[in-house]
Amino acid sequence: MEVDKNFNSELFNAFSNKLAWYTSTQIPLLQSNYVNMHSLVENILKTLINKGALAADPYKNDKKISKVTPIDCGSYIESDRAQIIGARLSDYEMMLDFICNYFNFSITTLSTDQIKALLQFNEGFTWSSIATTSKSQNTRGLAEALNTIRRGSDSFATDLANNSLHTADKTMSQINAILNDLASFQREVYKMNIRKDVLEHPTFEESDYESKEKMEAKIRQVYKQTGNKAPYDIELVKEVIEETIGENKEEYRKKLFEKFEVQTKEKKAKKENKVNPHDILMETLLILSTVSGQALVAEEKLQSNSINFEMSKLSKFQKFLLEIRRALGLKDKPCSYKISITDQNTQIKRSEIINFQEFIMNLDRKAKACAALGKQETTLYKKIISKSDEEILDFIMKQINEFSKILQIISGLDDFFKTQTPRTERAKIQGISMEITAIKNSLYKTNQKKSDYISIVEEERQMARLGISDDDVF
């Protein structure tokens, strides 16, 4: 039994490292992706409703969500498509909002059943293939609604929807990949609990390891005594037995340790696929381009909030005059807002007066230019990739800094409209917290990828100076 004790000790340590990796890396990434997905679906839904391709759900505010469940995917009468798909996409958006704000993301709560529920919900729309030929009723209906605005003349709405769809496909693929990986890991969590709660139970004796049948009978008996609420899974118990006393236990153990590897696999992958620093820069540009969709939605909401705020200060007669000005095509008078901005490094707050129209024009220009970074056919993209890697890096760093400052102003304006608008009119103010979070996540990922590029380039320089090659390292 000494060998088994050493094996358990090493296994517990490897498991702890893997668990820590999921907790610190994968689960936060899963949550971040769900936040991004919510913003993307919200963008698509709002665009389709505004363009009349879908109808808003009149019963949305009456619906309550208490757990993750799939949305309706049944058939419908074609004449009711705008209402039915509008309501289903709204349900999908509401469930994403519930997942983002009320679901506790942890290894404990992400049980096998909960992962299954999330995966089933995710299938409500097939984001990888939004087509009118889809077998999914919801996906086909959404595709037909999208085609309605694509046939129109509003290129901005079309681009926004297309960009959101493209990002939603990649985001949902990442979500499903993490969930499936977590589902596999939860099997190992169950087996680890068997080892800790059952095999190390005081009543478990050395004689209980004499045969597979005897060991399984003892595990079943002790499992009941531990009061574990999870169902007894004979398949996973047999895996534990094979790993412990099976004829091929060494092979099973080797595979088990490979599942729990974190660093080793990354090193092997690095050796097999040497990363090209230039490719990382191109990936960084693509990630940066995802800021565009959220920034444009934030811009639209800020403009709406500004209009509602300004209208709340006017008398009925002044509102009447304003409507006449707009009917004549006259521009609204410029306005400025004194907002509070928090420095992200020092957390010190300062007041700043923002020329609203000027800020919105700059935000719109930056967001649309950013969108071009994700399209290889655009002039801006071609212009950037023709430059040296150092110039591209400088461009990326400049964009990160500028969008970080823009984000501070957006947050300040969001707080301003929420607090300074009269209470009777605050229901008209649209929150921008989801867009702010999504932009922060995109900038964070862009900054991470930029740091990866700098690290690899610096590593190559150091190795070149020392006369060391990759083969020497690996």
Side-chain angles (χ1 to χ4, degrees):
M1 289 301 297
E2 184 65 28
V3 174
D4 285 333
K5 287 180 180 178
N6 289 337
F7 163 65
N8 281 341
S9 178
E10 292 176 13
L11 186 63
F12 291 159
N13 184 54
F15 174 79
S16 293
N17 290 337
K18 189 72 171 183
L19 180 61
W21 178 73
Y22 275 111
T23 303
S24 64
T25 304
Q26 294 301 88
I27 292 179
L29 178 59
L30 176 66
Q31 185 174 13
S32 173
N33 279 331
Y34 265 121
V35 170
N36 288 340
M37 196 67 200
H38 175 262
S39 293
L40 293 165
V41 172
E42 191 178 36
N43 294 349
I44 295 169
L45 176 62
K46 189 171 182 178
T47 300
L48 290 172
I49 290 175
N50 288 343
K51 303 307 293 184
L54 290 180
D57 183 5
Y59 305 106
K60 180 175 182 176
N61 295 330
D62 298 328
K63 296 177 179 178
K64 304 298 178 185
I65 299 175
S66 59
K67 64 178 182 178
V68 179
T69 56
I71 65 167
D72 188 1
C73 296
S75 57
Y76 55 87
I77 299 173
E78 184 58 29
S79 58
D80 295 334
R81 172 168 53 80
Q83 290 75 27
I84 298 297
I85 298 302
R88 291 180 183 178
L89 189 58
S90 176
D91 289 345
Y92 196 86
E93 181 270 324
M94 286 178 64
M95 185 62 74
L96 284 170
D97 181 67
F98 171 80
I99 292 169
C100 293
N101 294 297
Y102 300 100
F103 188 81
N104 180 20
F105 285 84
S106 68
I107 284 291
T108 304
T109 53
L110 284 164
S111 62
T112 302
D113 289 341
Q114 193 64 73
I115 291 171
K116 183 179 179 181
L118 286 167
L119 287 170
Q120 288 178 338
F121 159 71
N122 293 347
E123 293 174 355
F125 290 91
T126 310
W127 299 103
S128 60
S129 180
I130 303 295
T132 55
T133 55
S134 174
K135 293 181 180 179
S136 162
Q137 297 278 351
N138 291 349
T139 306
R140 185 166 64 251
L142 178 59
E144 289 168 348
L146 286 163
N147 282 344
T148 300
I149 66 171
R150 286 168 179 154
R151 288 192 292 266
S153 58
D154 192 339
S155 59
F156 171 73
T158 300
D159 287 346
L160 180 60
N162 289 339
N163 288 339
S164 295
L165 283 175
H166 177 69
T167 310
D169 173 22
K170 294 194 295 184
T171 304
M172 186 53 75
S173 294
Q174 289 181 8
I175 288 173
N176 288 334
I178 294 173
L179 286 175
N180 284 314
D181 187 45
L182 278 169
S184 177
F185 183 68
Q186 284 293 4
R187 292 171 60 87
E188 301 306 324
V189 172
Y190 182 94
K191 289 163 59 180
M192 200 57 58
N193 289 333
I194 291 290
R195 291 188 176 281
K196 291 181 177 179
D197 298 340
V198 179
L199 299 191
E200 295 196 348
H201 195 273
T203 62
F204 220 95
E205 300 176 354
E206 188 171 344
S207 59
D208 294 318
Y209 292 92
E210 291 177 355
S211 69
K212 294 179 184 179
E213 293 76 15
K214 191 172 184 179
M215 187 175 173
E216 194 279 318
K218 184 67 174 183
I219 290 175
R220 189 183 291 270
Q221 176 191 338
V222 176
Y223 189 82
K224 293 178 181 179
Q225 296 174 7
T226 61
N228 200 311
K229 295 181 181 180
Y232 185 78
D233 193 322
I234 183 63
E235 179 187 347
L236 296 181
V237 168
K238 286 183 176 180
E239 286 187 20
V240 172
I241 294 171
E242 290 295 338
E243 293 160 0
T244 307
I245 62 171
E247 296 83 358
N248 300 314
K249 64 182 180 182
E250 294 304 326
E251 182 181 342
Y252 279 102
R253 291 178 181 183
K254 181 181 178 183
K255 291 180 180 178
L256 191 57
F257 278 114
E258 286 176 353
K259 289 181 182 179
F260 293 157
E261 285 180 355
V262 177
Q263 295 295 334
T264 306
K265 282 190 175 182
E266 291 175 359
K267 289 182 179 179
K268 287 180 179 177
K270 187 174 181 181
K271 180 180 178 181
E272 292 170 3
N273 303 300
K274 187 176 181 296
V275 179
N276 185 336
H278 180 76
D279 292 341
I280 293 182
L281 274 183
M282 294 301 99
E283 289 179 36
T284 310
L285 285 174
L286 186 60
I287 296 171
L288 180 60
S289 71
T290 62
V291 172
S292 172
Q294 305 308 318
L296 289 171
V297 175
E299 173 195 333
E300 186 179 341
K301 287 185 176 182
L302 285 173
Q303 287 182 304
S304 173
N305 290 346
S306 177
I307 291 171
N308 287 319
F309 174 74
E310 294 298 328
M311 291 289 283
S312 71
K313 299 188 298 182
L314 302 178
S315 65
K316 289 185 178 179
F317 181 69
Q318 288 173 320
K319 290 179 181 178
F320 173 71
L321 292 178
L322 182 62
E323 291 300 331
I324 292 177
R325 284 178 56 86
R326 288 177 177 169
L328 294 173
L330 300 176
K331 292 183 178 180
D332 291 347
K333 293 180 180 179
C335 52
S336 296
Y337 302 121
K338 187 177 182 180
I339 66 173
S340 177
I341 292 179
T342 303
D343 188 288
Q344 297 302 310
N345 296 321
T346 63
Q347 294 302 306
I348 296 175
K349 291 186 177 182
R350 72 177 193 278
S351 295
E352 187 172 328
I353 297 176
I354 302 297
N355 182 313
F356 186 73
Q357 281 75 15
E358 187 178 299
F359 171 73
I360 288 296
M361 287 177 62
N362 181 52
L363 175 59
D364 186 73
R365 178 180 59 81
K366 293 287 294 180
K368 288 179 178 177
C370 195
L373 300 177
K375 301 177 181 178
Q376 297 183 10
E377 67 276 10
T378 61
T379 304
L380 178 61
Y381 182 88
K382 292 175 181 176
K383 181 180 178 181
I384 290 173
I385 64 170
S386 67
K387 298 182 179 295
S388 66
D389 284 0
E390 288 76 11
E391 290 175 312
I392 296 175
L393 178 62
D394 288 341
F395 171 81
I396 290 170
M397 293 175 69
K398 181 182 178 183
Q399 301 311 306
I400 292 173
N401 290 332
E402 290 184 358
F403 268 111
S404 295
K405 291 176 182 177
I406 287 173
L407 194 58
Q408 290 181 347
I409 296 175
I410 291 176
S411 298
L413 286 170
D414 186 39
D415 291 336
F416 176 86
F417 290 128
K418 286 178 179 176
T419 57
Q420 299 304 311
T421 303
R423 291 184 180 277
T424 54
E425 300 293 322
R426 285 184 190 175
K428 298 178 182 179
I429 299 299
Q430 301 181 64
I432 315 177
S433 58
M434 296 299 291
E435 285 73 27
I436 291 172
T437 300
I439 293 172
K440 281 182 179 178
N441 287 335
S442 293
L443 290 178
Y444 174 76
K445 291 176 183 177
T446 302
N447 202 45
Q448 261 192 331
K449 188 62 71 173
K450 177 211 72 177
S451 298
D452 289 344
Y453 167 80
I454 293 174
S455 296
I456 290 174
V457 170
E458 184 58 32
E459 182 182 340
E460 288 183 350
R461 287 173 181 168
Q462 291 284 358
M463 290 171 65
R465 279 196 290 267
L466 296 171
I468 302 173
S469 67
D470 287 344
D471 293 334
D472 295 329
V473 176
F474 298 106

